[in-house]
Amino acid sequence: MAEIVLDHIEKVYPNGFRAVHDLSLEVREGEFLVLVGPSGCGKSTALRMVAGLEEITSGELRIGGRLVNDTPPKDRDIAMVFQNYALYPHMTVFDNIGFALKLRKVPKDEIDRRVREAAKILELEENLDRKPGQLSGGQRQRVAMGRAIVRQPAAFLMDEPLSNLDAKLRVQMRAEIARIQRNLGVTTLYVTHDQVEAMTMGDRVAVLQAGVLQQVDAPQTLYDHPVNLFVAAFIGSPSMNLFESELSEPDADGGITVAFGSQPVALDPAIFESRPQLRSYAGRRVIAGVRPEDVDDITLDGSGLPPEQHVRAEIELVEALGSEIMAHFTIDAAAAQTGDPDAIDDVGASEQTKCVARLDPHSSVRLGETATLGVHTARMHFFDIDTGEGIWD
Ligand SMILES: Nc1ncnc2c1ncn2[C@@H]1O[C@H](COP(=O)(O)OP(=O)(O)O)[C@@H](O)[C@H]1O
Ligand SMILES: [Mg+2]
């Protein structure tokens, strides 16, 4: 086992494209670290540099304290699991798992022991004599994991290993890979574009955008404390509602409102405890954010939000999911530019932001009606309009 340290790593491809910029990141010993970001942001490039499959332009890479920039892949003591887990179709599961050991001339009884041990962990014992063609997608993925496990590497590197599986299997394998990693305690760097995968699997999650690291934190910290607009928009489903707004000057009692388009909404004073800097933004334009679950139907008991924290919203779409209702509405404020290429913000409609509220399933909001919604303003998010940085302390 070993930690992986990326120290100011750069990657400039021969055509001059800078795919990874000044990446400093530490995967601690035994940790499951997920590198997440939109397609094309440089995740695979970063992972391939760690694996030794891609040259490092500058910076230092250390595995287990050893500088390995110029070490060939086979001498880095790592095992990689890819999205396309190309198994050898003519070989049995046993031979597929043991192949790398055979190449290394590991004694036969040692191969036998390690393959059976891996098969046990992966619950593949019954399938050792089968060929990959006779396996389900999930079983094939586990064989690919088995090939990595038997090598007893210092670290696992995984590049979107679940993206070829159907949705249900993906959820199941997500839990399984996380469980196996925890049992083995092998340092793991896992790459995905899927933020739900990142949140559910990682001890910590590193968010990458356009080759630049944005934030590294435990999943809940990323969610509660995004350092900038990009992370705020990228983490969470449905996404945080983000719009341009203005904070009022303090009133006689020091109260400040935040504009939801033409509707001022009172900020709960508690927000100034978690975001002391916010006071200095009174009277200024900001980017405001509200998580869908921080909006309530005030006609139901329990929201307890005073009228000053209500907004009127014409409901344009209601998705009743049984466990919750997604109510869609539009506010007359410009949408924030988050830099997330997957964001559905309608850039053309400059003074309109589409918003989503995640309501209690017993809410009586109706399509086409104007609903009164309560906003938990103590849990709102705020960002500097020029820099996109979170306004904290
Ligand atoms: N060999 C290459 N030459 C030039 N650009 C490349 C090369 N490989 C990848 N890229 C570019 O680098 C960026 C990052 O690619 P990649 O690391 O594969 O992204 P991700 O895995 O996050 O989807 C992309 O814009 C991609 O087009
Ligand atoms: Mg990739």
Side-chain angles (χ1 to χ4, degrees):
M1 255 193 293
E3 81 280 359
I4 303 170
V5 179
L6 292 82
D7 197 358
H8 299 288
I9 296 276
E10 294 267 339
K11 176 64 187 185
V12 181
Y13 279 112
N15 68 357
F17 183 77
R18 187 183 300 267
V20 171
H21 182 60
D22 195 24
L23 178 59
S24 291
L25 184 64
E26 183 188 352
V27 191
R28 298 168 186 155
E29 184 151 331
E31 180 178 40
F32 196 125
L33 188 120
V34 180
L35 184 59
V36 70
S39 175
C41 73
K43 305 180 295 294
S44 295
T45 302
L47 196 77
R48 290 169 57 82
M49 285 192 284
V50 176
L53 302 172
E54 199 67 70
E55 200 183 320
I56 296 169
T57 306
S58 66
E60 294 190 344
L61 173 69
R62 279 178 239 103
I63 299 176
R66 194 164 61 104
L67 185 69
V68 292
N69 284 48
D70 300 317
T71 307
K74 65 176 177 44
D75 298 331
R76 291 193 185 192
D77 198 15
I78 42 115
M80 192 143 171
V81 182
F82 296 94
Q83 174 180 340
N84 300 311
Y85 34 85
L87 304 177
Y88 302 107
H90 59 284
M91 286 186 198
T92 62
V93 167
F94 184 100
D95 290 337
N96 263 287
I97 295 178
F99 189 64
L101 302 181
K102 200 170 161 191
L103 282 185
R104 283 165 190 232
K105 310 232 169 0
V106 174
K108 211 158 173 290
D109 54 342
E110 171 76 6
I111 295 179
D112 194 74
R113 192 184 61 77
R114 286 211 227 164
V115 170
R116 287 183 196 287
E117 196 179 282
K120 191 169 176 200
I121 293 167
L122 295 162
E123 292 168 15
L124 283 171
E125 290 161 297
E126 316 282 286
N127 299 294
L128 285 173
D129 297 327
R130 296 199 183 170
K131 303 268 173 72
Q134 299 166 284
L135 302 178
S136 69
Q139 287 169 331
R140 266 179 254 163
Q141 181 58 51
R142 275 184 272 158
V143 176
M145 287 281 297
R147 291 198 298 199
I149 290 174
V150 287
R151 293 174 50 193
Q152 302 176 337
F156 290 137
L157 305 178
M158 305 194 194
D159 193 348
E160 314 238 8
L162 304 183
S163 37
N164 283 348
L165 304 178
D166 66 50
K168 193 172 170 196
L169 197 53
R170 210 154 54 216
V171 172
Q172 194 184 325
M173 284 302 294
R174 204 151 83 188
E176 217 160 300
I177 290 180
R179 175 182 62 82
I180 291 163
Q181 192 275 343
R182 249 138 237 164
N183 288 345
L184 297 172
V186 178
T187 308
T188 301
L189 179 55
Y190 183 105
V191 159
T192 180
H193 68 278
D194 180 342
Q195 58 93 17
V196 177
E197 217 168 279
M199 294 290 281
T200 53
M201 296 178 80
D203 293 321
R204 288 189 306 152
V205 176
V207 182
L208 195 66
Q209 184 214 8
V212 179
L213 185 65
Q214 306 291 308
Q215 185 170 3
V216 191
D217 264 311
Q220 195 65 45
T221 310
L222 273 188
Y223 191 82
D224 293 338
H225 203 298
V227 297
N228 62 30
L229 263 179
F230 180 82
V231 177
F234 188 73
I235 300 291
S237 177
S239 295
M240 186 187 291
N241 302 297
L242 288 160
F243 52 93
E244 291 188 16
S245 181
E246 188 167 325
L247 299 185
S248 69
E249 295 288 355
D251 65 17
D253 303 319
I256 293 175
T257 62
V258 54
F260 279 61
S262 51
Q263 304 183 65
V265 175
L267 282 178
D268 187 318
I271 192 149
F272 301 110
E273 285 159 33
S274 56
R275 296 174 181 269
Q277 264 298 319
L278 193 59
R279 273 206 186 280
S280 70
Y281 281 80
R284 292 167 63 183
R285 293 191 66 72
V286 293
I287 301 294
V290 187
R291 292 259 181 225
E293 64 272 27
D294 292 334
V295 181
D296 274 341
D297 177 349
I298 58 107
T299 62
L300 297 173
D301 295 341
S303 96
L305 292 166
E308 309 83 70
Q309 282 175 239
H310 295 175
V311 287
R312 309 265 297 154
E314 191 186 322
I315 304 301
E316 292 157 355
L317 175 67
V318 175
E319 297 172 279
L321 302 174
S323 58
E324 60 198 7
I325 288 177
M326 298 295 179
H328 297 248
F329 57 98
T330 300
I331 60 172
D332 53 344
Q337 304 301 308
T338 60
D340 178 357
D342 297 331
I344 49 158
D345 303 343
D346 190 349
V347 180
S350 58
E351 290 302 313
Q352 302 270 294
T353 303
K354 294 197 176 305
C355 293
V356 184
R358 174 183 268 158
L359 304 178
D360 186 286
H362 303 104
S363 165
S364 56
V365 295
R366 289 282 171 271
L367 182 66
E369 288 180 4
T370 298
T372 303
L373 303 173
V375 182
H376 291 269
T377 53
R379 299 204 286 263
M380 280 184 72
H381 292 259
F382 292 93
F383 305 87
D384 187 287
I385 201 164
D386 297 318
T387 66
E389 298 294 312
I391 300 169
W392 295 95
D393 39 35

